[in-house]
Amino acid sequence: MKRWIFAFAILFAAAFAFGCTEQETKGPPSGPGYMLEISSNRIIEGGILNIKLTLSNPYETDMDVSSAELIGFDTGRFKPDAVRYEGSDIGVLEPGQSFPVIWTIEAPGTLTTDTETFNPKAKICFDMEQSYFFDIALLPRTGVQTAGEMPVLTKGSSYGPVSINPGSGLSQIYTGTADKAAKGSIVFDNAGIGKITTIYSMSMNVPESIYLDNTISGSGLRYSQAEGCEDSKCINNVCKIESSACSRLEKEIEIQNGVTVTAGIGVKDIADGTLTEAISLRTSGDISYGYCYNIDFGTVTVHKPG
């Protein structure tokens, strides 16, 4: 008897925060989608179990699938065939695209008891890049007196398994702060059903009109959880930090739930009178990372004949 299991892990959340100066527009990070077909949850000793897993990409950016691994079996007793892909290797799944993966597994030929149970899973790993943006209010050195004079600021990010809260603490920057960096943070939280396994890089593009001056102490990007990182590399108004030299960022346990990046913007000196009212400037960037999640097939029972 063939049993069909349809499972779609989709997380929905929407947040809109309104204030006198800042408006947040943030979409729901969706969970990975899949459809699972398993030939039976009960097979005879020496029998064959067929599993077909159709992966889909519910996100806004490409999923570069690096592996689809079968786990949860006693590999010394089960005899899985090599993983078979229909057509070619999975590779990149574009938004909305699906791809089937097939396993054929031979159960143990001789049981020491009447039945044995197993809990097989599929471990899916992929790389992804998500973008974010946030607005900065650049204020005259004398300040802005009323909320009505403040521009409306927005922030947000593309949909994905990581929820991005950009620009905390950087919503307002005053002119005349050229001797120090305006500091804030960009938080990347795990909002999906799996784990962040590695962080490859993170970038921030600062408007040229205020210019990211990397010579000012505190400018640039820093991972708060990292150790042994090289300084962020900034060229003109674009700042990027690579993770290859960060010892702790290469350990999954340190980053599985998310990372926080400290961002410092060194503002060039703008003379008094040049800016007479608050203006809104947009900062944007992206984060590139690896992600893995498991799909539970439920309990499979192997039994003797009869």
Side-chain angles (χ1 to χ4, degrees):
M1 178 180 180
K2 181 173 291 187
R3 185 182 66 156
W4 290 77
I5 303 174
F6 296 95
F8 295 91
I10 307 292
L11 301 176
F12 290 97
F16 297 92
F18 297 93
C20 60
T21 62
E22 184 169 334
Q23 173 181 329
E24 181 179 1
T25 57
K26 192 174 182 181
S30 303
Y34 58 88
M35 183 174 69
L36 173 67
E37 176 188 348
I38 183 169
S39 58
S40 178
N41 65 339
R42 288 181 61 85
I43 55 175
I44 194 171
E45 58 182 3
I48 298 297
L49 181 66
N50 295 305
I51 298 172
K52 181 177 181 179
L53 177 67
T54 302
L55 297 173
S56 62
N57 178 6
Y59 303 127
E60 289 187 339
T61 55
D62 292 348
M63 289 174 55
D64 188 354
V65 182
S66 56
S67 66
E69 179 186 3
L70 192 63
I71 60 177
F73 282 112
D74 181 347
T75 56
R77 304 186 63 212
F78 281 82
K79 300 176 182 178
D81 288 348
V83 176
R84 292 188 295 142
Y85 302 107
E86 290 189 354
S88 60
D89 288 347
I90 303 176
V92 176
L93 290 180
E94 297 177 354
Q97 187 178 4
S98 298
F99 196 95
V101 184
I102 301 171
W103 290 276
T104 301
I105 304 162
E106 182 181 342
T110 303
L111 299 181
T112 56
T113 59
D114 289 340
T115 62
E116 291 187 33
T117 59
F118 301 88
N119 185 216
K121 298 179 178 68
K123 182 177 182 180
I124 311 300
C125 294
F126 59 89
D127 293 335
M128 177 165 281
E129 184 175 286
Q130 282 182 246
S131 60
Y132 68 90
F133 71 89
F134 63 94
D135 293 337
I136 296 173
L138 185 63
L139 309 178
R141 193 173 308 191
T142 55
V144 177
Q145 301 301 317
T146 66
E149 295 175 299
M150 290 291 295
V152 175
L153 308 179
T154 62
K155 60 182 179 180
S157 63
S158 59
Y159 297 174
V162 169
S163 174
I164 306 176
N165 182 25
S168 300
L170 289 172
S171 59
Q172 298 180 10
I173 296 179
Y174 286 89
T175 60
T177 57
D179 59 337
K180 60 183 180 179
K183 293 183 180 179
S185 62
I186 302 171
V187 180
F188 304 94
D189 287 324
N190 181 11
I193 62 173
K195 298 177 180 179
I196 303 171
T197 57
T198 188
I199 302 290
Y200 298 120
S201 65
M202 182 261 176
S203 67
M204 182 174 66
N205 306 304
V206 180
E208 293 184 8
S209 56
I210 60 175
Y211 184 60
L212 179 62
D213 187 347
N214 199 43
T215 64
I216 296 175
S217 177
S219 293
L221 305 171
R222 303 289 184 275
Y223 292 111
S224 62
Q225 291 96 327
E227 292 179 351
C229 288
E230 296 178 354
D231 290 342
S232 57
K233 300 175 181 178
C234 303
I235 301 176
N236 295 331
N237 62 313
V238 180
C239 191
K240 186 171 184 177
I241 182 170
E242 303 286 350
S243 308
S244 57
C246 300
S247 57
R248 289 181 64 187
L249 279 175
E250 295 183 357
K251 298 179 181 178
E252 179 177 339
I253 191 64
E254 301 292 346
I255 61 172
Q256 59 187 1
N257 293 321
V259 297
T260 298
V261 175
T262 299
I265 297 178
V267 184
K268 64 181 179 181
D269 196 6
I270 300 177
D272 283 332
T274 303
L275 185 69
T276 59
E277 61 181 12
I279 60 173
S280 175
L281 301 171
R282 175 148 296 183
T283 297
S284 62
D286 56 61
I287 179 174
S288 176
Y289 60 93
Y291 199 85
C292 291
Y293 66 97
N294 293 342
I295 298 173
D296 196 328
F297 296 165
T299 299
V300 173
T301 301
V302 182
H303 62 89
K304 290 182 176 293

